[in-house]
Amino acid sequence: MIRFSFKARWSNFPGHNTAAETDSARRAMASEGQKVVLITGCSSGIGLRIAVVLAKDEKKRYYVIATMRDLKKKDKLLEAAGDTYGKTLTLQPLDVCDDESVKQCVSSVKDRRVDVLINNAGIGLLGPVESISMEDMKKVFETNFFGAVRMIKEVMPDMKKRRAGHIIVMSSVMGLQGVVFNDVYTASKFAMEGFCESLAVQLLKFNVTVSMIEPGPVHTEFEVKMMEDVAKMEYPGADADTVRYFKDVYLPSATDIFQAMGQTAEDIARCTKKVMESSRPRFRNLTNSLYTPIVALKYADETGGLSVHTFYNLLFNMGPLMHITMNILKCLTCRCFRSRTV
Ligand SMILES: NC(=O)C1=CN([C@@H]2O[C@H](COP(=O)(O)OP(=O)(O)OC[C@H]3O[C@@H](n4cnc5c(N)ncnc54)[C@H](OP(=O)(O)O)[C@@H]3O)[C@@H](O)[C@H]2O)C=CC1
Ligand SMILES: CC1=C(/C=C/C(C)=C/C=C/C(C)=C/C=O)C(C)(C)CCC1
């Protein structure tokens, strides 16, 4: 079992909200006409990049409240944010798994006005189900599903009252299509898709928009933690064949797919900004067109047979072919090839 991230108790961070940090974070205020954007999980990866891209908006249209559960990890964000910190970007502690932390953070926002909520915080979980404890599975749901739900519950009533707002959720292609050995992570993203698909209808009546962003593989800490964990994990409870399929069949294919199809956090941030700025934001937003055919399979055959058997064949019968295909794809999509042809 491989866990990409970890949850920590809010109260375990003595330095999480020092007076100096809070003062400096509060010095900046949203100017009139600026949209207040609250983002969860900004210590690294996609959340960090979205915060920076929005804070650096040329027209200064956004006032970004970048949040993270451990403010000791703020340096990477502040370095990337440069002189926007204290102007269009501010920092707040927030653990999406902690009721009190969520309430405190939203209450610290002037008039509780969050125009755009970006639910980005998330953790992964990979490996044979037999080897994963129920506790670890619950952590994934507590962060990816209940964490986002907790945030939505806190900001939604004010958005409904104001008849304005945009809720954005960092889902995944795994929110639309199951992927072998990602059973629990996939389930948490499916849960989010179902929750938001239902909520979007009610919220439309209040002029509040809901959008899902569905990236495929993205090169972030997520991938780094995965590779680190793979090297040291054992799989108690899983039989030798299953462990072999996971380590020798799935992992090499997943590595190929990351290399060939992987996007950057900057790609996802730009896509998210585009969704925010659209006059009619779409509900679903795949960030990687290479994934469209994979997701389309389930809509082409409502019995589910086509996707289950296609993925089975891709993984177990066409592994070497997939390796070659992914390398060709990697070559075709790499910037150096494009710069030589354009
Ligand atoms: N990378 C990928 O391939 C893809 C990722 N996604 C989704 O994108 C989102 C961001 O992931 P990514 O940037 O790749 O990964 P990272 O691991 O780089 O970032 C995850 C962020 O979530 C934070 N986080 C985790 N638990 C909590 C919590 N309880 N409260 C607040 N913050 C928390 C982490 O904080 P800390 O540093 O404290 O752990 C970190 O800032 C996730 O929802 C993920 O599921 C979707 C598709 C593909
Ligand atoms: C192995 C394999 C696949 C793997 C896909 C992967 C590895 C996707 C990763 C997505 C991520 C990391 C999403 C995060 O939210 C496919 C394409 C389904 C085809 C069948 C074989």
Side-chain angles (χ1 to χ4, degrees), residues 37 47-48 56 106 156-157 161 164 198 208 234 284 293 310 321 342:
V37 186
L48 181 153
K56 291 193 171 170
V106 175
M156 187 180 68
K161 259 186 240 154
S198 310
V208 175
E234 289 184 19
R284 289 211 164 87
T310 305
L321 183 66
V342 174

Side-chain angles (χ1 to χ4, degrees), residues 1 34 51 98 100 116 122 147 161 164 194 219 248 254 264 280 283 305 318 320 322:
M1 177 271 301
Q34 269 185 328
D98 189 292
E100 192 199 328
V116 185
K161 259 186 240 154
H219 303 292
D248 302 342
T264 62
R280 281 177 76 92
F283 177 70
M318 293 159 75
M322 200 159 83

Side-chain angles (χ1 to χ4, degrees), residues 125-142:
L125 188 62
L126 179 60
V129 172
E130 305 91 306
S131 64
I132 302 176
S133 70
M134 290 308 292
E135 194 194 337
D136 284 337
M137 293 187 191
K138 285 178 186 170
K139 271 183 199 162
V140 172
F141 268 79
E142 188 49 47

Side-chain angles (χ1 to χ4, degrees), residues 172 174 179 185 217 250 253-254 257-258 291 294 311 314-315 322:
S172 166
M174 290 202 215
V179 173
Y185 175 75
Y250 171 79
S253 295
I257 286 164
F258 254 97
Y291 251 97
I294 292 171
F311 293 141
L314 274 174
L315 190 65
M322 200 159 83

Side-chain angles (χ1 to χ4, degrees), residues 74-341:
K74 68 180 187 301
D75 292 352
K76 213 159 64 170
L77 170 67
L78 296 189
E79 193 186 323
D83 66 359
T84 64
Y85 181 54
K87 292 177 185 152
T88 50
L89 184 131
T90 185
L91 203 55
Q92 284 291 333
L94 170 65
D95 181 342
V96 298
C97 295
D98 189 292
D99 287 342
E100 192 199 328
S101 163
V102 168
K103 280 192 189 310
Q104 240 178 49
C105 180
V106 175
S107 301
S108 76
V109 179
K110 189 172 179 289
D111 301 329
R112 295 178 57 88
R113 200 192 99 205
V114 175
D115 298 308
V116 185
L117 166 68
I118 304 185
N119 281 302
N120 164 77
I123 57 173
L125 188 62
L126 179 60
V129 172
E130 305 91 306
S131 64
I132 302 176
S133 70
M134 290 308 292
E135 194 194 337
D136 284 337
M137 293 187 191
K138 285 178 186 170
K139 271 183 199 162
V140 172
F141 268 79
E142 188 49 47
T143 309
N144 298 1
F145 179 66
F146 289 112
V149 170
R150 191 174 281 113
M151 291 303 301
I152 292 173
K153 263 171 70 77
E154 196 60 31
V155 302
M156 187 180 68
D158 295 292
M159 286 182 170
K160 284 170 88 172
K161 259 186 240 154
R162 290 195 306 273
R163 297 288 193 274
H166 196 170
I167 294 170
I168 298 182
V169 175
M170 200 50 63
S171 178
S172 166
V173 289
M174 290 202 215
L176 305 175
Q177 174 60 57
V179 173
V180 60
F181 291 121
N182 288 269
D183 320 72
V184 179
Y185 175 75
T186 296
S188 73
K189 294 291 184 183
F190 265 60
M192 215 46 227
E193 291 274 343
F195 178 87
C196 290
E197 200 173 275
S198 310
L199 192 64
V201 177
Q202 185 221 132
L203 289 187
L204 196 56
K205 197 74 189 146
F206 293 87
N207 196 35
V208 175
T209 308
V210 182
S211 300
M212 315 298 286
I213 313 287
E214 280 107 358
V218 185
H219 303 292
T220 64
E221 291 299 306
F222 210 83
E223 183 195 7
V224 175
K225 287 169 208 162
M226 176 174 84
M227 290 312 166
E228 277 172 8
D229 287 349
V230 163
K232 56 184 179 219
M233 285 311 290
E234 289 184 19
Y235 306 94
D239 62 88
D241 281 345
T242 305
V243 174
R244 188 163 49 81
Y245 294 141
F246 174 58
K247 283 184 159 178
D248 302 342
V249 182
Y250 171 79
L251 284 178
S253 295
T255 305
D256 279 347
I257 286 164
F258 254 97
Q259 280 182 5
M261 290 181 148
Q263 290 182 289
T264 62
E266 179 83 18
D267 293 333
I268 312 306
R270 299 222 161 270
C271 175
T272 306
K273 187 167 186 271
K274 211 164 143 193
V275 171
M276 279 172 63
E277 290 169 0
S278 158
S279 53
R280 281 177 76 92
R282 292 183 189 162
F283 177 70
R284 289 211 164 87
N285 301 275
L286 278 171
T287 64
N288 191 338
S289 57
L290 292 172
Y291 251 97
T292 310
I294 292 171
V295 173
L297 285 181
K298 73 193 298 174
Y299 298 107
D301 169 23
E302 79 285 0
T303 72
L306 185 59
S307 36
V308 170
H309 291 285
T310 305
F311 293 141
Y312 177 86
N313 281 323
L314 274 174
L315 190 65
F316 291 112
N317 297 333
M318 293 159 75
L321 183 66
M322 200 159 83
H323 181 73
I324 296 165
T325 312
M326 287 300 149
N327 275 313
I328 294 171
L329 198 61
K330 190 176 141 199
C331 183
L332 288 173
T333 52
C334 111
R335 288 189 205 289
C336 89
F337 181 83
R338 259 186 266 153
S339 63
R340 261 187 272 138
T341 52

Side-chain angles (χ1 to χ4, degrees), residues 8-13 16 69 93-95 98 100-101 104:
R9 286 288 310 160
W10 176 245
S11 48
N12 286 349
F13 301 111
H16 76 269
R69 58 179 167 174
L94 170 65
D95 181 342
D98 189 292
E100 192 199 328
S101 163
Q104 240 178 49

